[in-house]
Amino acid sequence: MIFFFIRYIYRIFREAILSIKNNRGINLITIGTFAISMTIMGGFLIVYINFKAVVNKWSEKVQLVIYLKDNLSIKDLEEIKKEISSDSGVDKYTYISKDEALKDFRGRLKENSSILNGLDTNPLPASFIITLKDDLRGSDYIKRLTKRIEGLKGIEDTEFGEGWIERFEIVTLFLRFVIIAIGGLLTIGLIFVVSNTIRLSLYSRQNEIEIMKLVGATNWFIRGPFMIEGLIQGLCGALLSLIILYIIYRLILFRFEYSVAILTGFAPIYFIPVDMIIYMITIGIIIGCTGSMISVGKFLKWSSISRSY
Amino acid sequence: MSEREDILISVHGLYKSFKKDSRILPVLKGIDLRIRRGEMIGIVGVSGAGKSTLLHLLGAIDRPSSGDIRFDGIDIFKMSDTKIAEFRNKRIGFVFQLHHLLPEFTSIENTMMPALIMGRKRNEAIERAKQILTDVGLRERFHHKPGELSGGEQQRVAIARALVNNPDIVLADEPTGNLDSETGRSIQELMCRLNRDKKQTFIIVTHNETIASKMDNILRLVDGRIL
Ligand SMILES: Nc1ncnc2c1ncn2[C@@H]1O[C@H](COP(=O)(O)OP(=O)(O)OP(=O)(O)O)[C@@H](O)[C@H]1O
Ligand SMILES: [Mg+2]
């Protein structure tokens, strides 16, 4: 039985490869269509992955600054400090007194700091600078925290990079939506293309299929080679697209390294990570098998052997 | 052996109609028959009488509108697809008029196909194929492809293939229909010899009255019934 199984596997692979060889043109077109579609998909994926990486890197720098009123009582200050330190989303915070703020400002003005000499009072407020934990840098969380703190006594103002965080979140979401939409459409399209190719291959072997049925081949026995044919198309298409993507990726790195680096804030540009590569190959294989299943299923149903020999 | 045990196939109340463009075309209108093991039966009738249709039902290629066919007491239309495939492979041999051999394969390969599907080892299948091809007089044509064989020789390969799994019955649809009368007669003699020597059961559809006259039993299909 095992022996028969091995021989069966061998048979379907041999027949599938033979059939691909016999219908070389259409198979190349199918694999090409596959590769192009998956390259488009992969391209979006790379953009998405890198965009997300850049957003993450940038948002590391996102800080929430709380400016305090002058003449704040120690009690109010302690109250604010307690509120901040008790928040589970806060990674770290520092208190900057009025004096420290001025010193800092002078330091930044460097040789021009003399313009501050005429001041008799310190115009800069004291402040808390808060860094949030990694996964809580989304604007919603920041908004909520800000609101809470603004409700306390002694707060002059708050400040953070609200606008661009939100914008980037929208872009990320949009990219994800585009990837899902295009992915869905391409999947349906590819299933259609594969099932058409397999149908041609079925037609060209109709006589053989009927004979096989007459001598008692089961439907699975007949299906086998066509499934493998679809599988090979999907696999080759996916692999080819990965090669194309990698070449494009290297080219961009090589030719536009500097301008891209500026765009990304000198973050490294990533290729599709390994687990995604495995997904892409798996999806290619599944699409190929599904396409051929559909065709063979239809074919075995309506091709009753009876009238065509 | 009692007469009951001798019955290989019993057909009961077989109806078959085809639906075409919402019109129903009745072809078989109630067939009852019994076929004994080792019998050689001819089916005759005018074109369109339903001879092929009946043969297809006997081989479980098609399904009847109503009625049943029992093979050794087992209702073949109650079997699953896989069981039907196995049934066709082990117990039935088909011989048809045209397009019956795989063109890229040699006589031996064509003949051994059902044996391979049955799960026989390759060497065993080759031995068996050679033996049967020798029986049907094709000792010198083992490695010829169908394109390199005459019509009569192709038909012999088809018969060899039908016999390779030692089936209970061979169903042949006009096996001599496109052969000249001389070759046709030799094919018919071959089948008669196999029937005599190996007690092989045959059901043969034919237009040829001389062939029909050599049969143990003739079924005449007229207007969807057996006369
Ligand atoms: N799939 C089908 N759909 C519709 N009508 C069919 C179908 N198959 C057969 N028929 C009709 O059934 C009738 C019987 O067909 P069948 O092939 O059994 O005849 P036959 O006796 O074998 O004829 P011949 O001697 O010409 O081969 C014919 O009138 C044919 O048109
Ligand atoms: Mg007919």
Side-chain angles (χ1 to χ4, degrees):
Chain A
M1 195 57 215
I2 297 236
F3 186 73
F4 181 63
F5 186 70
I6 292 168
R7 211 171 44 209
Y8 174 66
I9 300 278
Y10 170 75
R11 181 193 84 97
I12 57 183
F13 268 95
R14 208 193 53 170
E15 297 210 352
I17 288 165
L18 237 141
S19 166
I20 289 176
K21 265 193 200 156
N22 285 343
N23 302 305
R24 216 171 298 131
I26 188 79
N27 267 284
L28 283 179
I29 291 171
T30 306
I31 292 171
T33 314
F34 238 107
I36 291 167
S37 308
M38 293 197 82
T39 303
I40 293 170
M41 224 9 243
F44 274 102
L45 211 60
I46 290 178
V47 169
Y48 176 74
I49 287 161
N50 283 289
F51 190 80
K52 230 180 139 184
V54 170
V55 169
N56 275 346
K57 195 172 141 77
W58 277 355
S59 58
E60 261 170 42
K61 294 176 192 145
V62 171
Q63 290 173 332
L64 176 59
V65 185
I66 316 256
Y67 297 106
L68 305 174
K69 286 195 169 118
D70 290 350
N71 313 318
L72 201 64
S73 72
I74 302 283
K75 198 179 142 255
D76 286 344
L77 186 68
E78 283 305 315
E79 198 68 30
I80 295 168
K81 205 172 185 176
K82 215 171 78 197
E83 184 68 37
I84 293 169
S85 62
S86 68
D87 191 288
S88 59
V90 172
D91 190 29
K92 52 181 195 256
Y93 66 93
T94 35
Y95 174 69
I96 295 171
S97 68
K98 284 176 74 75
D99 291 348
E100 279 167 327
L102 190 63
K103 220 168 86 192
D104 201 33
F105 195 42
R106 270 188 207 282
R108 261 188 279 170
L109 289 173
K110 286 183 187 142
E111 57 267 27
N112 300 322
S113 64
S114 54
I115 59 164
L116 296 176
N117 287 347
L119 290 172
D120 41 355
T121 55
N122 177 355
L124 297 176
S127 60
F128 281 102
I129 295 175
I130 300 170
T131 315
L132 289 168
K133 283 183 181 154
D134 264 0
D135 45 338
L136 294 173
R137 284 188 197 121
S139 64
D140 269 4
Y141 194 86
I142 296 182
K143 263 188 193 153
R144 257 182 288 132
L145 180 62
T146 312
K147 243 205 186 98
R148 247 196 359 265
I149 290 172
E150 276 173 345
L152 297 171
K153 239 172 90 185
I155 307 293
E156 177 75 46
D157 199 6
T158 54
E159 188 186 290
F160 71 98
E162 181 173 17
W164 64 263
I165 292 182
E166 251 174 12
R167 239 170 290 142
F168 276 121
E169 274 185 350
I170 288 169
V171 174
T172 313
L173 231 96
F174 176 72
L175 270 179
R176 200 183 301 175
F177 171 77
V178 167
I179 285 175
I180 291 170
I182 290 184
L185 283 177
L186 287 180
T187 301
I188 293 168
L190 285 177
I191 288 177
F192 185 73
V193 169
V194 173
S195 78
N196 262 326
T197 311
I198 299 290
R199 186 155 46 199
L200 284 182
S201 162
L202 281 162
Y203 276 127
S204 70
R205 292 169 63 189
Q206 184 168 15
N207 190 30
E208 179 188 337
I209 291 170
E210 283 165 6
I211 291 168
M212 295 307 269
K213 277 190 99 165
L214 284 179
V215 298
T218 59
N219 282 351
W220 276 108
F221 197 89
I222 293 166
R223 229 174 251 148
F226 298 100
M227 296 276 291
I228 297 295
E229 199 178 326
L231 184 150
I232 290 173
Q233 287 166 359
L235 181 67
C236 289
L239 290 177
L240 192 59
S241 78
L242 286 168
I243 292 170
I244 295 170
L245 282 167
Y246 193 72
I247 291 171
I248 294 174
Y249 167 75
R250 297 303 311 199
L251 265 168
I252 288 179
L253 273 194
F254 180 69
R255 294 291 302 268
F256 307 105
E257 200 177 6
Y258 191 67
S259 36
V260 171
I262 287 173
L263 256 172
T264 61
F266 291 93
I269 304 177
Y270 299 103
F271 191 59
I272 306 168
V274 176
D275 55 341
M276 291 267 191
I277 288 180
I278 293 169
Y279 282 142
M280 278 176 72
I281 292 173
T282 313
I283 287 170
I285 287 174
I286 291 173
I287 290 174
C289 288
T290 311
S292 98
M293 272 289 260
I294 290 172
S295 253
V296 182
K298 267 193 211 152
F299 195 85
L300 286 179
K301 224 178 238 164
W302 62 253
S303 144
S304 107
I305 312 158
S306 8
R307 294 300 137 179
S308 21
Y309 60 81
Chain B
M1 239 194 269
S2 78
E3 209 193 314
R4 242 187 144 64
E5 274 172 301
D6 247 331
I7 303 288
L8 178 62
I9 298 174
S10 65
V11 178
H12 185 75
L14 202 66
Y15 279 82
K16 175 72 184 176
S17 51
F18 292 103
K19 221 173 157 180
K20 191 82 189 156
D21 307 327
S22 79
R23 284 187 52 207
I24 292 171
L25 173 74
V27 176
L28 301 179
K29 305 170 186 169
I31 305 269
D32 294 283
L33 70 99
R34 285 170 172 205
I35 295 160
R36 280 192 296 276
R37 220 178 277 279
E39 250 187 323
M40 187 134 195
I41 291 180
I43 300 179
V44 295
V46 296
S47 182
K51 306 181 294 295
S52 299
T53 306
L54 177 58
L55 210 66
H56 291 153
L57 292 173
L58 289 170
I61 295 173
D62 210 347
R63 285 177 180 270
S65 307
S66 67
D68 58 64
I69 296 179
R70 287 174 190 279
F71 210 101
D72 269 344
I74 298 163
D75 188 341
I76 56 173
F77 299 115
K78 295 234 164 77
M79 293 194 282
S80 67
D81 280 358
T82 320
K83 279 275 170 221
I84 284 188
E86 191 187 321
F87 163 77
R88 252 185 237 138
N89 178 243
K90 291 192 174 152
R91 312 199 60 173
I92 299 206
F94 287 102
V95 181
F96 292 118
Q97 189 176 344
L98 287 170
H99 306 306
H100 36 249
L101 300 176
L102 294 173
E104 325 79 89
F105 293 90
T106 64
S107 302
I108 286 193
E109 288 166 339
N110 266 294
T111 305
M112 68 197 259
M113 194 77 69
L116 287 181
I117 286 174
M118 187 166 138
R120 274 192 210 272
K121 294 208 174 68
R122 193 177 171 80
N123 286 338
E124 231 176 88
I126 288 176
E127 276 320 302
R128 179 106 185 104
K130 281 183 176 172
Q131 188 199 323
I132 293 179
L133 283 169
T134 308
D135 279 354
V136 300
L138 290 179
R139 214 199 153 78
E140 310 298 322
R141 303 285 186 277
F142 285 171
H143 302 290
H144 287 233
K145 291 182 178 170
E148 300 155 357
L149 295 169
S150 75
E153 285 165 347
Q154 287 182 33
Q155 206 54 292
R156 282 164 203 263
V157 175
I159 291 170
R161 184 185 60 196
L163 291 169
V164 76
N165 280 348
N166 206 8
D168 292 307
I169 189 163
V170 174
L171 304 176
D173 198 347
E174 299 184 42
T176 59
N178 68 334
L179 303 176
D180 61 80
S181 59
E182 191 58 29
T183 318
R185 207 167 46 88
S186 83
I187 293 290
Q188 173 256 318
E189 272 166 8
L190 167 67
M191 290 190 287
C192 285
R193 180 166 61 79
L194 290 166
N195 169 253
R196 226 172 28 241
D197 297 352
K198 307 196 169 190
K199 301 275 172 290
Q200 184 69 59
T201 316
F202 278 90
I203 298 183
I204 301 167
V205 170
T206 182
H207 280 292
N208 186 323
E209 286 293 332
T210 35
I211 290 179
S213 67
K214 300 276 172 28
M215 306 285 137
D216 300 334
N217 215 335
I218 300 173
L219 306 176
R220 287 186 192 278
L221 261 184
V222 179
D223 195 24
R225 293 194 179 80
I226 290 172
L227 272 198

